[in-house]
PDB file of all heavy atoms in Angstrom:
ATOM      1  N   HIS A1607      78.355   3.385 168.360  1.00  0.00           N
ATOM      2  CA  HIS A1607      77.063   2.629 167.956  1.00  0.00           C
ATOM      3  C   HIS A1607      76.047   2.614 169.199  1.00  0.00           C
ATOM      4  O   HIS A1607      75.590   1.560 169.639  1.00  0.00           O
ATOM      5  CB  HIS A1607      77.367   1.209 167.492  1.00  0.00           C
ATOM      6  CG  HIS A1607      76.371   0.709 166.470  1.00  0.00           C
ATOM      7  ND1 HIS A1607      75.571  -0.331 166.662  1.00  0.00           N
ATOM      8  CD2 HIS A1607      76.014   1.224 165.339  1.00  0.00           C
ATOM      9  CE1 HIS A1607      74.830  -0.506 165.582  1.00  0.00           C
ATOM     10  NE2 HIS A1607      75.179   0.473 164.798  1.00  0.00           N
ATOM     11  N   ALA A1641      80.027 -12.686 170.544  1.00  0.00           N
ATOM     12  CA  ALA A1641      78.738 -12.166 170.260  1.00  0.00           C
ATOM     13  C   ALA A1641      78.769 -10.565 169.988  1.00  0.00           C
ATOM     14  O   ALA A1641      77.832 -10.098 169.437  1.00  0.00           O
ATOM     15  CB  ALA A1641      77.759 -12.415 171.501  1.00  0.00           C
ATOM     16  N   HIS A1642      79.867 -10.010 170.195  1.00  0.00           N
ATOM     17  CA  HIS A1642      79.976  -8.481 170.027  1.00  0.00           C
ATOM     18  C   HIS A1642      81.215  -8.293 169.109  1.00  0.00           C
ATOM     19  O   HIS A1642      81.259  -8.765 167.971  1.00  0.00           O
ATOM     20  CB  HIS A1642      80.259  -7.884 171.480  1.00  0.00           C
ATOM     21  CG  HIS A1642      80.137  -6.351 171.413  1.00  0.00           C
ATOM     22  ND1 HIS A1642      79.753  -5.733 170.501  1.00  0.00           N
ATOM     23  CD2 HIS A1642      80.513  -5.606 172.555  1.00  0.00           C
ATOM     24  CE1 HIS A1642      79.779  -4.369 170.940  1.00  0.00           C
ATOM     25  NE2 HIS A1642      80.325  -4.368 172.081  1.00  0.00           N
ATOM     26  N   LYS A1672      68.181 -25.739 166.398  1.00  0.00           N
ATOM     27  CA  LYS A1672      68.145 -25.254 167.850  1.00  0.00           C
ATOM     28  C   LYS A1672      69.115 -26.195 168.767  1.00  0.00           C
ATOM     29  O   LYS A1672      69.536 -25.668 169.858  1.00  0.00           O
ATOM     30  CB  LYS A1672      66.782 -25.404 168.433  1.00  0.00           C
ATOM     31  CG  LYS A1672      65.860 -24.208 167.965  1.00  0.00           C
ATOM     32  CD  LYS A1672      66.190 -22.958 168.666  1.00  0.00           C
ATOM     33  CE  LYS A1672      65.956 -21.775 167.933  1.00  0.00           C
ATOM     34  NZ  LYS A1672      66.987 -20.821 167.647  1.00  0.00           N
ATOM     35  N   ARG A1677      76.083 -20.483 165.393  1.00  0.00           N
ATOM     36  CA  ARG A1677      75.323 -19.332 164.740  1.00  0.00           C
ATOM     37  C   ARG A1677      76.147 -18.674 163.575  1.00  0.00           C
ATOM     38  O   ARG A1677      77.511 -18.863 163.617  1.00  0.00           O
ATOM     39  CB  ARG A1677      75.230 -18.094 165.735  1.00  0.00           C
ATOM     40  CG  ARG A1677      74.045 -18.520 166.746  1.00  0.00           C
ATOM     41  CD  ARG A1677      73.746 -17.315 167.573  1.00  0.00           C
ATOM     42  NE  ARG A1677      72.628 -17.543 168.395  1.00  0.00           N
ATOM     43  CZ  ARG A1677      71.987 -16.573 169.119  1.00  0.00           C
ATOM     44  NH1 ARG A1677      72.485 -15.418 169.198  1.00  0.00           N
ATOM     45  NH2 ARG A1677      70.843 -16.805 169.829  1.00  0.00           N
ATOM     46  N   LEU A1678      75.431 -18.166 162.621  1.00  0.00           N
ATOM     47  CA  LEU A1678      76.300 -17.586 161.487  1.00  0.00           C
ATOM     48  C   LEU A1678      76.982 -16.297 161.948  1.00  0.00           C
ATOM     49  O   LEU A1678      76.234 -15.377 162.363  1.00  0.00           O
ATOM     50  CB  LEU A1678      75.326 -17.141 160.309  1.00  0.00           C
ATOM     51  CG  LEU A1678      74.838 -18.278 159.386  1.00  0.00           C
ATOM     52  CD1 LEU A1678      74.043 -17.630 158.222  1.00  0.00           C
ATOM     53  CD2 LEU A1678      76.003 -19.081 158.911  1.00  0.00           C
ATOM     54  N   GLY A1680      78.668 -12.750 162.146  1.00  0.00           N
ATOM     55  CA  GLY A1680      78.543 -11.534 161.263  1.00  0.00           C
ATOM     56  C   GLY A1680      77.088 -11.503 160.864  1.00  0.00           C
ATOM     57  O   GLY A1680      76.836 -10.572 159.980  1.00  0.00           O
ATOM     58  N   PHE A1681      76.142 -12.355 161.352  1.00  0.00           N
ATOM     59  CA  PHE A1681      74.716 -12.185 161.057  1.00  0.00           C
ATOM     60  C   PHE A1681      73.896 -11.876 162.196  1.00  0.00           C
ATOM     61  O   PHE A1681      74.240 -12.310 163.368  1.00  0.00           O
ATOM     62  CB  PHE A1681      74.191 -13.413 160.393  1.00  0.00           C
ATOM     63  CG  PHE A1681      74.309 -13.530 158.848  1.00  0.00           C
ATOM     64  CD1 PHE A1681      75.424 -13.806 158.205  1.00  0.00           C
ATOM     65  CD2 PHE A1681      73.044 -13.157 158.214  1.00  0.00           C
ATOM     66  CE1 PHE A1681      75.454 -13.693 156.936  1.00  0.00           C
ATOM     67  CE2 PHE A1681      73.228 -13.229 156.815  1.00  0.00           C
ATOM     68  CZ  PHE A1681      74.217 -13.416 156.038  1.00  0.00           C
ATOM     69  N   HIS A1683      71.493  -9.012 164.765  1.00  0.00           N
ATOM     70  CA  HIS A1683      71.799  -7.758 165.549  1.00  0.00           C
ATOM     71  C   HIS A1683      70.680  -7.472 166.421  1.00  0.00           C
ATOM     72  O   HIS A1683      69.453  -7.754 166.163  1.00  0.00           O
ATOM     73  CB  HIS A1683      72.044  -6.574 164.492  1.00  0.00           C
ATOM     74  CG  HIS A1683      72.736  -5.486 165.348  1.00  0.00           C
ATOM     75  ND1 HIS A1683      72.146  -4.606 166.105  1.00  0.00           N
ATOM     76  CD2 HIS A1683      74.037  -5.050 165.196  1.00  0.00           C
ATOM     77  CE1 HIS A1683      73.133  -3.709 166.516  1.00  0.00           C
ATOM     78  NE2 HIS A1683      74.276  -4.079 166.039  1.00  0.00           N
ATOM     79  N   ARG A1684      71.023  -7.031 167.704  1.00  0.00           N
ATOM     80  CA  ARG A1684      70.103  -6.646 168.697  1.00  0.00           C
ATOM     81  C   ARG A1684      69.035  -5.694 168.137  1.00  0.00           C
ATOM     82  O   ARG A1684      67.931  -5.576 168.449  1.00  0.00           O
ATOM     83  CB  ARG A1684      70.650  -6.298 169.989  1.00  0.00           C
ATOM     84  CG  ARG A1684      69.815  -5.710 171.031  1.00  0.00           C
ATOM     85  CD  ARG A1684      68.765  -6.700 171.464  1.00  0.00           C
ATOM     86  NE  ARG A1684      69.222  -7.902 171.948  1.00  0.00           N
ATOM     87  CZ  ARG A1684      69.731  -8.006 173.234  1.00  0.00           C
ATOM     88  NH1 ARG A1684      69.778  -6.938 174.002  1.00  0.00           N
ATOM     89  NH2 ARG A1684      70.136  -9.173 173.669  1.00  0.00           N
ATOM     90  N   ARG A1692      76.330  -0.252 157.933  1.00  0.00           N
ATOM     91  CA  ARG A1692      77.772  -0.305 157.825  1.00  0.00           C
ATOM     92  C   ARG A1692      78.153  -1.428 156.941  1.00  0.00           C
ATOM     93  O   ARG A1692      79.345  -1.490 156.314  1.00  0.00           O
ATOM     94  CB  ARG A1692      78.251  -0.355 159.262  1.00  0.00           C
ATOM     95  CG  ARG A1692      77.876   0.714 160.174  1.00  0.00           C
ATOM     96  CD  ARG A1692      78.112   0.377 161.557  1.00  0.00           C
ATOM     97  NE  ARG A1692      77.426  -0.722 162.125  1.00  0.00           N
ATOM     98  CZ  ARG A1692      77.570  -1.390 163.448  1.00  0.00           C
ATOM     99  NH1 ARG A1692      78.489  -0.948 164.262  1.00  0.00           N
ATOM    100  NH2 ARG A1692      76.733  -2.282 163.686  1.00  0.00           N
ATOM    101  N   TYR A1729      64.108 -18.859 157.543  1.00  0.00           N
ATOM    102  CA  TYR A1729      64.467 -18.716 159.035  1.00  0.00           C
ATOM    103  C   TYR A1729      65.136 -17.288 159.289  1.00  0.00           C
ATOM    104  O   TYR A1729      64.740 -16.668 160.149  1.00  0.00           O
ATOM    105  CB  TYR A1729      65.452 -19.890 159.401  1.00  0.00           C
ATOM    106  CG  TYR A1729      66.059 -19.660 160.667  1.00  0.00           C
ATOM    107  CD1 TYR A1729      65.578 -20.279 161.821  1.00  0.00           C
ATOM    108  CD2 TYR A1729      67.206 -18.933 160.989  1.00  0.00           C
ATOM    109  CE1 TYR A1729      66.221 -20.183 163.020  1.00  0.00           C
ATOM    110  CE2 TYR A1729      67.975 -18.867 162.100  1.00  0.00           C
ATOM    111  CZ  TYR A1729      67.409 -19.460 163.204  1.00  0.00           C
ATOM    112  OH  TYR A1729      68.011 -19.381 164.469  1.00  0.00           O
ATOM    113  N   LYS A1733      63.293 -14.129 161.246  1.00  0.00           N
ATOM    114  CA  LYS A1733      63.933 -13.684 162.469  1.00  0.00           C
ATOM    115  C   LYS A1733      64.767 -12.357 162.047  1.00  0.00           C
ATOM    116  O   LYS A1733      65.500 -11.756 162.862  1.00  0.00           O
ATOM    117  CB  LYS A1733      64.969 -14.685 163.083  1.00  0.00           C
ATOM    118  CG  LYS A1733      64.237 -16.026 163.468  1.00  0.00           C
ATOM    119  CD  LYS A1733      65.173 -16.918 164.149  1.00  0.00           C
ATOM    120  CE  LYS A1733      64.513 -18.162 164.583  1.00  0.00           C
ATOM    121  NZ  LYS A1733      63.335 -17.896 165.597  1.00  0.00           N
ATOM    122  N   ASN A1738      75.881  -7.995 159.479  1.00  0.00           N
ATOM    123  CA  ASN A1738      76.251  -6.830 160.368  1.00  0.00           C
ATOM    124  C   ASN A1738      77.585  -6.441 160.014  1.00  0.00           C
ATOM    125  O   ASN A1738      78.193  -6.893 159.155  1.00  0.00           O
ATOM    126  CB  ASN A1738      75.955  -7.168 161.879  1.00  0.00           C
ATOM    127  CG  ASN A1738      76.790  -8.241 162.242  1.00  0.00           C
ATOM    128  OD1 ASN A1738      78.016  -8.364 162.031  1.00  0.00           O
ATOM    129  ND2 ASN A1738      76.160  -9.328 162.852  1.00  0.00           N
ATOM    130  N   ASP A1740      80.339  -6.897 161.124  1.00  0.00           N
ATOM    131  CA  ASP A1740      81.368  -7.815 161.282  1.00  0.00           C
ATOM    132  C   ASP A1740      81.499  -8.864 160.123  1.00  0.00           C
ATOM    133  O   ASP A1740      82.413  -9.592 160.032  1.00  0.00           O
ATOM    134  CB  ASP A1740      81.251  -8.562 162.517  1.00  0.00           C
ATOM    135  CG  ASP A1740      81.419  -7.586 163.724  1.00  0.00           C
ATOM    136  OD1 ASP A1740      82.433  -6.909 163.712  1.00  0.00           O
ATOM    137  OD2 ASP A1740      80.585  -7.601 164.602  1.00  0.00           O
ATOM    138  N   ARG A1765      86.503   2.016 168.144  1.00  0.00           N
ATOM    139  CA  ARG A1765      85.483   2.267 169.047  1.00  0.00           C
ATOM    140  C   ARG A1765      85.860   3.155 170.288  1.00  0.00           C
ATOM    141  O   ARG A1765      85.141   3.728 171.070  1.00  0.00           O
ATOM    142  CB  ARG A1765      84.961   0.949 169.532  1.00  0.00           C
ATOM    143  CG  ARG A1765      83.674   1.059 170.496  1.00  0.00           C
ATOM    144  CD  ARG A1765      82.535   1.756 169.804  1.00  0.00           C
ATOM    145  NE  ARG A1765      81.994   1.397 168.561  1.00  0.00           N
ATOM    146  CZ  ARG A1765      81.131   0.582 168.311  1.00  0.00           C
ATOM    147  NH1 ARG A1765      80.567  -0.077 169.346  1.00  0.00           N
ATOM    148  NH2 ARG A1765      80.743   0.171 167.197  1.00  0.00           N
TER     149      ARG A1765
HETATM  150  C1  LIG B2866      78.135  -6.159 167.074  1.00  0.00           C
HETATM  151  O1  LIG B2866      74.944  -3.689 169.852  1.00  0.00           O
HETATM  152  C2  LIG B2866      75.678  -3.278 168.980  1.00  0.00           C
HETATM  153  O2  LIG B2866      75.437  -2.216 168.446  1.00  0.00           O
HETATM  154  C3  LIG B2866      76.802  -4.206 168.562  1.00  0.00           C
HETATM  155  C4  LIG B2866      77.692  -3.738 167.362  1.00  0.00           C
HETATM  156  C5  LIG B2866      78.366  -2.484 167.668  1.00  0.00           C
HETATM  157  O3  LIG B2866      78.813  -1.710 166.708  1.00  0.00           O
HETATM  158  O4  LIG B2866      78.735  -2.226 168.771  1.00  0.00           O
HETATM  159  O5  LIG B2866      76.826  -3.517 166.326  1.00  0.00           O
HETATM  160  C6  LIG B2866      78.774  -4.774 167.015  1.00  0.00           C
HETATM  161  O6  LIG B2866      78.362  -6.793 168.101  1.00  0.00           O
HETATM  162  C7  LIG B2866      77.473  -6.765 165.936  1.00  0.00           C
HETATM  163  C8  LIG B2866      77.050  -8.221 166.141  1.00  0.00           C
HETATM  164  C9  LIG B2866      78.176  -9.217 166.047  1.00  0.00           C
HETATM  165  N1  LIG B2866      77.660 -10.549 166.604  1.00  0.00           N
HETATM  166  C10 LIG B2866      77.546 -11.472 165.733  1.00  0.00           C
HETATM  167  O7  LIG B2866      77.669 -11.367 164.402  1.00  0.00           O
HETATM  168  C11 LIG B2866      77.369 -12.878 166.255  1.00  0.00           C
HETATM  169  C12 LIG B2866      76.240 -13.480 165.718  1.00  0.00           C
HETATM  170  N2  LIG B2866      75.035 -12.931 166.056  1.00  0.00           N
HETATM  171  C13 LIG B2866      74.240 -13.287 167.214  1.00  0.00           C
HETATM  172  O8  LIG B2866      75.013 -13.878 168.213  1.00  0.00           O
HETATM  173  C14 LIG B2866      73.151 -12.302 167.623  1.00  0.00           C
HETATM  174  O9  LIG B2866      72.529 -11.952 166.386  1.00  0.00           O
HETATM  175  C15 LIG B2866      73.446 -11.065 168.373  1.00  0.00           C
HETATM  176  C16 LIG B2866      74.187 -11.489 169.566  1.00  0.00           C
HETATM  177  C17 LIG B2866      74.241 -10.142 167.543  1.00  0.00           C
HETATM  178  C18 LIG B2866      72.079 -10.460 168.715  1.00  0.00           C
HETATM  179  O10 LIG B2866      71.448 -11.339 169.525  1.00  0.00           O
HETATM  180  P1  LIG B2866      69.977 -10.975 170.237  1.00  0.00           P
HETATM  181  O11 LIG B2866      69.570  -9.602 169.991  1.00  0.00           O
HETATM  182  O12 LIG B2866      70.186 -11.299 171.704  1.00  0.00           O
HETATM  183  O13 LIG B2866      69.097 -11.914 169.508  1.00  0.00           O
HETATM  184  P2  LIG B2866      68.729 -13.382 170.015  1.00  0.00           P
HETATM  185  O14 LIG B2866      70.043 -13.940 170.268  1.00  0.00           O
HETATM  186  O15 LIG B2866      67.735 -13.443 170.839  1.00  0.00           O
HETATM  187  O16 LIG B2866      68.321 -13.948 168.513  1.00  0.00           O
HETATM  188  C19 LIG B2866      66.908 -13.971 168.094  1.00  0.00           C
HETATM  189  C20 LIG B2866      66.793 -15.190 167.389  1.00  0.00           C
HETATM  190  C21 LIG B2866      67.143 -16.477 168.168  1.00  0.00           C
HETATM  191  O17 LIG B2866      66.235 -17.447 167.731  1.00  0.00           O
HETATM  192  P3  LIG B2866      65.114 -17.892 168.799  1.00  0.00           P
HETATM  193  O18 LIG B2866      65.631 -18.184 170.175  1.00  0.00           O
HETATM  194  O19 LIG B2866      64.207 -16.628 168.744  1.00  0.00           O
HETATM  195  O20 LIG B2866      64.472 -19.154 168.053  1.00  0.00           O
HETATM  196  O21 LIG B2866      67.602 -15.259 166.205  1.00  0.00           O
HETATM  197  C22 LIG B2866      68.426 -16.304 166.291  1.00  0.00           C
HETATM  198  C23 LIG B2866      68.558 -16.669 167.742  1.00  0.00           C
HETATM  199  O22 LIG B2866      69.004 -18.130 167.856  1.00  0.00           O
HETATM  200  N3  LIG B2866      69.839 -15.755 165.780  1.00  0.00           N
HETATM  201  C24 LIG B2866      70.563 -16.408 165.061  1.00  0.00           C
HETATM  202  C25 LIG B2866      71.765 -15.566 164.829  1.00  0.00           C
HETATM  203  N4  LIG B2866      71.490 -14.399 165.489  1.00  0.00           N
HETATM  204  C26 LIG B2866      70.294 -14.638 166.151  1.00  0.00           C
HETATM  205  N5  LIG B2866      70.608 -17.592 164.416  1.00  0.00           N
HETATM  206  C27 LIG B2866      71.641 -17.933 163.581  1.00  0.00           C
HETATM  207  N6  LIG B2866      72.723 -17.237 163.344  1.00  0.00           N
HETATM  208  C28 LIG B2866      72.790 -15.931 163.973  1.00  0.00           C
HETATM  209  N7  LIG B2866      73.776 -15.188 163.719  1.00  0.00           N
END
Side-chain angles (χ1 to χ4, degrees):
H1607 211 241
H1642 188 17
K1672 280 289 153 237
R1677 285 190 166 183
L1678 282 189
F1681 265 80
H1683 199 277
R1684 170 61 58 77
R1692 301 169 297 177
Y1729 173 90
K1733 294 184 185 299
N1738 58 50
D1740 295 309
R1765 187 51 59 86

